[in-house]
Short mmCIF file of all heavy atoms in Angstrom, two decimals:
data_model
loop_
_atom_site.label_atom_id
_atom_site.label_comp_id
_atom_site.label_asym_id
_atom_site.label_seq_id
_atom_site.Cartn_x
_atom_site.Cartn_y
_atom_site.Cartn_z
N LYS A 69 146.62 -148.57 -109.03
CA LYS A 69 146.95 -147.97 -107.73
C LYS A 69 147.53 -148.99 -106.75
O LYS A 69 147.19 -149.00 -105.57
CB LYS A 69 145.73 -147.26 -107.13
CG LYS A 69 145.24 -146.09 -107.95
CD LYS A 69 144.13 -145.33 -107.26
CE LYS A 69 143.71 -144.11 -108.09
NZ LYS A 69 142.61 -143.34 -107.43
N ILE A 70 148.41 -149.85 -107.27
CA ILE A 70 149.07 -150.84 -106.43
C ILE A 70 150.53 -150.43 -106.25
O ILE A 70 151.29 -150.38 -107.23
CB ILE A 70 149.01 -152.25 -107.05
CG1 ILE A 70 147.56 -152.66 -107.30
CG2 ILE A 70 149.72 -153.27 -106.17
CD1 ILE A 70 147.42 -153.99 -108.03
N PRO A 71 150.96 -150.08 -105.02
CA PRO A 71 152.36 -149.73 -104.78
C PRO A 71 153.30 -150.86 -105.21
O PRO A 71 153.00 -152.04 -105.00
CB PRO A 71 152.42 -149.50 -103.27
CG PRO A 71 151.01 -149.18 -102.87
CD PRO A 71 150.14 -149.99 -103.79
N THR A 72 154.41 -150.47 -105.79
CA THR A 72 155.35 -151.45 -106.36
C THR A 72 156.77 -151.12 -105.93
O THR A 72 157.16 -149.95 -105.90
CB THR A 72 155.26 -151.44 -107.90
OG1 THR A 72 153.90 -151.69 -108.30
CG2 THR A 72 156.18 -152.48 -108.51
N CYS A 73 157.51 -152.17 -105.60
CA CYS A 73 158.93 -152.02 -105.25
C CYS A 73 159.76 -152.72 -106.32
O CYS A 73 159.49 -153.88 -106.67
CB CYS A 73 159.21 -152.61 -103.88
SG CYS A 73 160.97 -152.56 -103.41
N ALA A 74 160.77 -152.03 -106.84
CA ALA A 74 161.69 -152.62 -107.82
C ALA A 74 163.10 -152.57 -107.24
O ALA A 74 163.59 -151.49 -106.89
CB ALA A 74 161.63 -151.87 -109.14
N VAL A 75 163.73 -153.73 -107.13
CA VAL A 75 165.09 -153.83 -106.60
C VAL A 75 166.03 -154.16 -107.75
O VAL A 75 165.77 -155.09 -108.53
CB VAL A 75 165.20 -154.92 -105.51
CG1 VAL A 75 166.62 -154.96 -104.93
CG2 VAL A 75 164.17 -154.68 -104.41
N PHE A 76 167.13 -153.41 -107.86
CA PHE A 76 168.11 -153.62 -108.92
C PHE A 76 169.40 -154.13 -108.29
O PHE A 76 170.10 -153.39 -107.60
CB PHE A 76 168.35 -152.32 -109.69
CG PHE A 76 167.10 -151.78 -110.34
CD1 PHE A 76 166.25 -150.92 -109.64
CD2 PHE A 76 166.75 -152.14 -111.63
CE1 PHE A 76 165.09 -150.42 -110.23
CE2 PHE A 76 165.60 -151.65 -112.23
CZ PHE A 76 164.77 -150.80 -111.52
N LEU A 77 169.66 -155.42 -108.51
CA LEU A 77 170.81 -156.07 -107.88
C LEU A 77 172.09 -155.76 -108.66
O LEU A 77 172.09 -155.66 -109.88
CB LEU A 77 170.62 -157.58 -107.83
CG LEU A 77 169.41 -158.12 -107.08
CD1 LEU A 77 169.44 -159.65 -107.08
CD2 LEU A 77 169.37 -157.61 -105.65
N ASP A 78 173.19 -155.62 -107.90
CA ASP A 78 174.50 -155.45 -108.51
C ASP A 78 175.39 -156.58 -108.02
O ASP A 78 175.73 -156.65 -106.83
CB ASP A 78 175.10 -154.09 -108.12
CG ASP A 78 176.32 -153.74 -108.95
OD1 ASP A 78 177.33 -154.45 -108.82
OD2 ASP A 78 176.27 -152.78 -109.72
N LEU A 79 175.74 -157.49 -108.92
CA LEU A 79 176.57 -158.64 -108.56
C LEU A 79 178.05 -158.29 -108.70
O LEU A 79 178.46 -157.59 -109.63
CB LEU A 79 176.25 -159.84 -109.42
CG LEU A 79 174.81 -160.36 -109.37
CD1 LEU A 79 174.68 -161.63 -110.21
CD2 LEU A 79 174.39 -160.63 -107.95
N SER A 80 178.84 -158.78 -107.76
CA SER A 80 180.27 -158.51 -107.76
C SER A 80 181.00 -159.51 -108.64
O SER A 80 181.05 -160.70 -108.33
CB SER A 80 180.80 -158.59 -106.32
OG SER A 80 182.20 -158.49 -106.29
N LYS A 81 181.56 -159.03 -109.78
CA LYS A 81 182.35 -159.86 -110.69
C LYS A 81 181.66 -161.20 -110.96
O LYS A 81 182.23 -162.27 -110.72
CB LYS A 81 183.74 -160.09 -110.12
CG LYS A 81 184.53 -158.80 -109.93
CD LYS A 81 185.91 -159.07 -109.36
CE LYS A 81 186.68 -157.77 -109.18
NZ LYS A 81 188.02 -158.01 -108.58
N ALA A 82 180.43 -161.13 -111.44
CA ALA A 82 179.58 -162.31 -111.56
C ALA A 82 180.23 -163.44 -112.37
O ALA A 82 180.27 -164.58 -111.92
CB ALA A 82 178.24 -161.92 -112.18
#
Side-chain angles (χ1 to χ4, degrees):
K69 296 186 177 180
I70 303 175
T72 304
C73 176
V75 183
F76 300 88
L77 301 183
D78 192 294
L79 300 185
S80 173
K81 299 180 180 178

